[in-house]
Protein backbone atom coordinates (compact mmCIF):
# COMPACT_ATOMS: atom_id res chain seq x y z
CA UNK A 1 0.00 0.00 0.00
CA UNK A 2 2.82 2.42 0.89
CA UNK A 3 4.65 1.63 -2.36
CA UNK A 4 1.45 2.24 -4.34
CA UNK A 5 0.91 5.60 -2.60
CA UNK A 6 4.54 6.60 -3.14
CA UNK A 7 4.24 5.75 -6.85
CA UNK A 8 1.10 7.91 -7.10
CA UNK A 9 2.86 10.81 -5.39
CA UNK A 10 5.92 10.52 -7.65
CA UNK A 11 3.61 10.48 -10.66
CA UNK A 12 1.62 13.51 -9.44
CA UNK A 13 4.87 15.45 -8.92
CA UNK A 14 5.95 14.46 -12.44
CA UNK A 15 9.20 12.98 -11.18
CA UNK A 16 11.07 10.33 -13.14
CA UNK A 17 12.55 7.40 -11.25
CA UNK A 18 15.49 6.01 -13.19
CA UNK A 19 16.29 3.12 -10.88
CA UNK A 20 14.95 1.49 -7.70
CA UNK A 21 17.72 0.10 -5.55
CA UNK A 22 15.72 -1.58 -2.83
CA UNK A 23 12.56 -1.43 -0.78
CA UNK A 24 13.06 -1.14 2.95
CA UNK A 25 10.56 -2.68 5.32
CA UNK A 26 10.51 -1.35 8.85
CA UNK A 27 8.51 -1.92 11.99
CA UNK A 28 8.15 0.78 14.64
CA UNK A 29 7.40 -0.82 18.02
CA UNK A 30 4.71 1.29 19.65
CA UNK A 31 3.46 0.47 23.13
CA UNK A 32 4.40 -2.97 24.38
CA UNK A 33 5.45 -4.00 27.86
CA UNK A 34 7.99 -1.99 29.80
CA UNK A 35 11.27 -3.63 30.76
CA UNK A 36 11.62 -4.79 34.35
CA UNK A 37 12.31 -1.50 36.11
CA UNK A 38 14.99 -1.60 38.78
CA UNK A 39 17.01 -4.44 37.27
CA UNK A 40 20.83 -4.09 37.55
CA UNK A 41 21.30 -3.16 33.88
CA UNK A 42 19.74 0.19 32.92
CA UNK A 43 18.18 0.04 29.47
CA UNK A 44 17.89 3.13 27.30
CA UNK A 45 16.23 4.11 24.04
CA UNK A 46 14.28 1.36 22.28
CA UNK A 47 15.53 -1.21 24.83
CA UNK A 48 13.75 0.82 27.55
CA UNK A 49 10.60 1.13 25.38
CA UNK A 50 11.08 4.91 25.12
CA UNK A 51 9.31 4.96 21.75
CA UNK A 52 6.34 7.34 21.83
CA UNK A 53 3.29 5.02 22.00
CA UNK A 54 1.13 7.33 19.88
CA UNK A 55 3.56 8.57 17.21
CA UNK A 56 6.48 6.13 17.05
CA UNK A 57 8.98 8.97 17.62
CA UNK A 58 11.87 8.37 19.98
CA UNK A 59 15.06 10.20 18.98
CA UNK A 60 14.03 13.61 20.34
CA UNK A 61 13.16 12.24 23.75
CA UNK A 62 16.25 10.01 23.96
CA UNK A 63 18.58 12.90 23.13
CA UNK A 64 16.89 15.33 25.53
CA UNK A 65 16.70 12.87 28.42
CA UNK A 66 20.25 11.45 28.12
CA UNK A 67 21.98 14.13 30.28
CA UNK A 68 19.33 13.72 33.01
CA UNK A 69 19.86 9.94 33.11
CA UNK A 70 23.65 10.24 33.03
CA UNK A 71 23.63 12.79 35.87
CA UNK A 72 21.34 10.57 37.97
CA UNK A 73 23.63 7.54 37.55
CA UNK A 74 26.85 9.54 38.11
CA UNK A 75 25.44 11.26 41.21
CA UNK A 76 24.29 7.97 42.73
CA UNK A 77 27.69 6.36 42.08
CA UNK A 78 29.52 9.34 43.56
CA UNK A 79 27.32 9.48 46.67
CA UNK A 80 26.86 5.77 47.37
CA UNK A 81 29.59 3.94 45.44
CA UNK A 82 26.92 1.27 44.93
CA UNK A 83 26.15 0.03 41.40
CA UNK A 84 22.73 -1.26 42.50
CA UNK A 85 21.66 2.17 43.77
CA UNK A 86 23.11 3.79 40.65
CA UNK A 87 20.99 1.46 38.51
CA UNK A 88 17.89 2.33 40.56
CA UNK A 89 18.62 6.05 40.08
CA UNK A 90 19.09 5.45 36.36
CA UNK A 91 15.75 3.66 36.06
CA UNK A 92 14.04 6.42 38.05
CA UNK A 93 15.45 8.96 35.58
CA UNK A 94 14.40 6.88 32.55
CA UNK A 95 10.91 6.14 33.88
CA UNK A 96 9.89 8.58 36.63
CA UNK A 97 6.31 8.35 37.93
CA UNK A 98 4.97 11.17 35.74
CA UNK A 99 6.32 9.47 32.60
CA UNK A 100 4.71 6.17 33.57
CA UNK A 101 1.33 7.88 33.99
CA UNK A 102 1.77 9.68 30.66
CA UNK A 103 2.68 6.39 29.01
CA UNK A 104 -0.55 4.84 30.31
CA UNK A 105 -2.48 7.70 28.70
CA UNK A 106 -0.57 7.40 25.41
CA UNK A 107 -1.03 3.61 25.27
CA UNK A 108 -4.74 3.99 26.00
CA UNK A 109 -5.01 6.50 23.14
CA UNK A 110 -3.06 4.20 20.81
CA UNK A 111 -5.37 1.26 21.59
CA UNK A 112 -8.42 3.41 20.93
CA UNK A 113 -7.02 4.66 17.60
CA UNK A 114 -6.19 1.14 16.44
CA UNK A 115 -9.86 0.17 16.70
CA UNK A 116 -11.32 3.20 14.86
CA UNK A 117 -12.65 2.82 11.34
CA UNK A 118 -11.41 5.10 8.56
CA UNK A 119 -14.17 7.72 8.97
CA UNK A 120 -13.55 8.01 12.73
CA UNK A 121 -9.78 8.16 12.19
CA UNK A 122 -10.23 11.06 9.78
CA UNK A 123 -12.54 12.75 12.26
CA UNK A 124 -10.03 12.26 15.07
CA UNK A 125 -7.02 13.58 13.15
CA UNK A 126 -9.06 16.46 11.74
CA UNK A 127 -9.80 17.50 15.32
CA UNK A 128 -6.23 16.79 16.46
CA UNK A 129 -4.58 19.00 13.83
CA UNK A 130 -7.40 21.57 13.67
CA UNK A 131 -5.16 24.41 14.84
CA UNK A 132 -1.60 24.13 13.44
CA UNK A 133 -0.38 26.93 15.75
CA UNK A 134 -1.56 25.14 18.86
CA UNK A 135 1.39 24.37 21.09
CA UNK A 136 -0.22 21.46 22.95
CA UNK A 137 -0.35 18.97 20.09
CA UNK A 138 3.32 19.65 19.37
CA UNK A 139 4.14 18.94 23.02
CA UNK A 140 1.95 15.81 22.87
CA UNK A 141 3.87 14.43 19.90
CA UNK A 142 7.22 15.37 21.47
CA UNK A 143 6.26 13.66 24.77
CA UNK A 144 6.93 16.96 26.49
CA UNK A 145 3.65 17.89 28.20
CA UNK A 146 4.53 17.06 31.80
CA UNK A 147 7.55 18.24 33.74
CA UNK A 148 9.22 16.08 36.42
CA UNK A 149 7.14 15.78 39.56
CA UNK A 150 3.93 17.00 37.88
CA UNK A 151 0.77 15.02 37.27
CA UNK A 152 -0.24 14.88 33.60
CA UNK A 153 -3.05 17.43 34.04
CA UNK A 154 -2.01 19.35 30.92
CA UNK A 155 -2.16 16.17 28.90
CA UNK A 156 -5.59 15.38 30.37
CA UNK A 157 -6.81 18.88 29.43
CA UNK A 158 -5.50 18.36 25.89
CA UNK A 159 -7.31 15.02 25.61
CA UNK A 160 -10.56 16.60 26.86
CA UNK A 161 -10.21 19.40 24.27
CA UNK A 162 -9.73 16.76 21.57
CA UNK A 163 -12.88 15.03 22.79
CA UNK A 164 -14.99 18.19 22.46
CA UNK A 165 -13.66 18.88 18.96
CA UNK A 166 -14.77 15.47 17.68
CA UNK A 167 -18.03 14.54 15.98
CA UNK A 168 -20.90 13.08 18.05
CA UNK A 169 -20.08 9.62 16.68
CA UNK A 170 -16.42 9.95 17.70
CA UNK A 171 -17.41 11.22 21.15
CA UNK A 172 -19.69 8.22 21.64
CA UNK A 173 -16.89 5.86 20.65
CA UNK A 174 -14.37 7.56 22.95
CA UNK A 175 -16.80 7.39 25.89
CA UNK A 176 -17.41 3.70 25.24
CA UNK A 177 -13.69 2.97 25.05
CA UNK A 178 -12.97 5.00 28.19
CA UNK A 179 -15.51 2.89 30.06
CA UNK A 180 -14.44 -0.51 28.73
CA UNK A 181 -10.76 -0.14 27.75
CA UNK A 182 -9.17 0.36 31.13
CA UNK A 183 -10.29 3.97 31.53
CA UNK A 184 -10.75 3.48 35.29
CA UNK A 185 -7.10 2.45 35.59
CA UNK A 186 -6.09 5.71 33.88
CA UNK A 187 -8.19 7.84 36.23
CA UNK A 188 -6.73 6.03 39.23
CA UNK A 189 -3.18 6.63 38.00
CA UNK A 190 -3.85 10.36 37.50
CA UNK A 191 -5.88 10.86 40.71
CA UNK A 192 -4.51 8.27 43.18
CA UNK A 193 -6.00 9.99 46.27
CA UNK A 194 -9.63 9.90 45.00
CA UNK A 195 -11.55 6.74 46.00
CA UNK A 196 -13.03 4.88 43.04
CA UNK A 197 -15.69 2.19 43.01
CA UNK A 198 -14.43 -1.39 42.97
CA UNK A 199 -11.22 -0.44 44.83
Amino acid sequence: EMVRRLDRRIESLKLKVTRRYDEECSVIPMGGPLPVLGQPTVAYGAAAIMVHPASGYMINRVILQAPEVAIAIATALRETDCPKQAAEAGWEAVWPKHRLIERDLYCFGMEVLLDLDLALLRDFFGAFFANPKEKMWREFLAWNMTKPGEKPYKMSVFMILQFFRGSPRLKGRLIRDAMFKDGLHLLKSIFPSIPFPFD
Side-chain angles (χ1 to χ4, degrees):
E1 173 65 16
M2 290 179 72
V3 172
R4 185 183 67 78
R5 286 181 176 213
L6 179 61
D7 287 340
R8 279 179 46 200
R9 173 163 248 168
I10 289 170
E11 186 179 322
S12 73
L13 294 171
K14 298 182 178 14
L15 298 173
K16 184 178 178 184
V17 177
T18 56
R19 180 176 172 197
R20 284 191 189 202
Y21 291 93
D22 203 355
E23 287 180 15
E24 180 181 342
C25 296
S26 64
V27 176
I28 300 171
M30 295 166 65
L34 286 169
V36 177
L37 304 180
Q39 63 180 296
T41 303
V42 179
Y44 199 72
I49 316 297
M50 293 174 76
V51 177
H52 193 301
S55 69
Y57 298 153
M58 177 184 69
I59 300 299
N60 182 54
R61 178 178 171 212
V62 169
I63 291 170
L64 290 175
Q65 207 172 337
E68 183 183 329
V69 175
I71 289 167
I73 293 171
T75 302
L77 279 173
R78 190 171 42 255
E79 291 175 358
T80 66
D81 198 27
C82 175
K84 184 174 185 240
Q85 289 184 6
E88 288 172 4
W91 279 114
E92 177 59 31
V94 172
W95 282 112
K97 177 73 173 161
H98 74 280
R99 291 273 189 222
L100 291 170
I101 294 170
E102 273 188 338
R103 185 179 183 278
D104 283 348
L105 287 164
Y106 282 123
C107 287
F108 173 77
M110 178 191 64
E111 288 173 20
V112 169
L113 286 177
L114 289 174
D115 283 343
L116 297 181
D117 61 34
L118 187 58
L120 285 175
L121 270 176
R122 286 183 174 149
D123 187 0
F124 175 86
F125 284 110
F128 188 87
F129 294 111
N131 182 0
K133 294 183 179 176
E134 185 175 272
K135 187 179 172 188
M136 288 177 85
W137 68 257
R138 294 168 194 258
E139 290 177 339
F140 179 88
L141 290 175
W143 204 327
N144 192 30
M145 294 196 94
T146 308
K147 304 302 178 231
E150 293 180 349
K151 292 278 186 181
Y153 297 125
K154 190 174 182 183
M155 187 173 175
S156 302
V157 167
F158 177 69
M159 293 176 109
I160 290 166
L161 287 173
Q162 294 309 116
F163 173 81
F164 284 114
R165 288 178 181 157
S167 68
R169 185 171 170 244
L170 179 61
K171 288 176 188 170
R173 181 60 181 273
L174 293 175
I175 289 169
R176 188 195 80 181
D177 286 348
M179 291 173 66
F180 297 107
K181 279 191 181 237
D182 216 11
L184 184 63
H185 168 75
L186 291 176
L187 288 174
K188 286 172 71 172
S189 68
I190 297 169
F191 306 106
S193 59
I194 297 175
F196 285 90
F198 315 116
D199 271 352

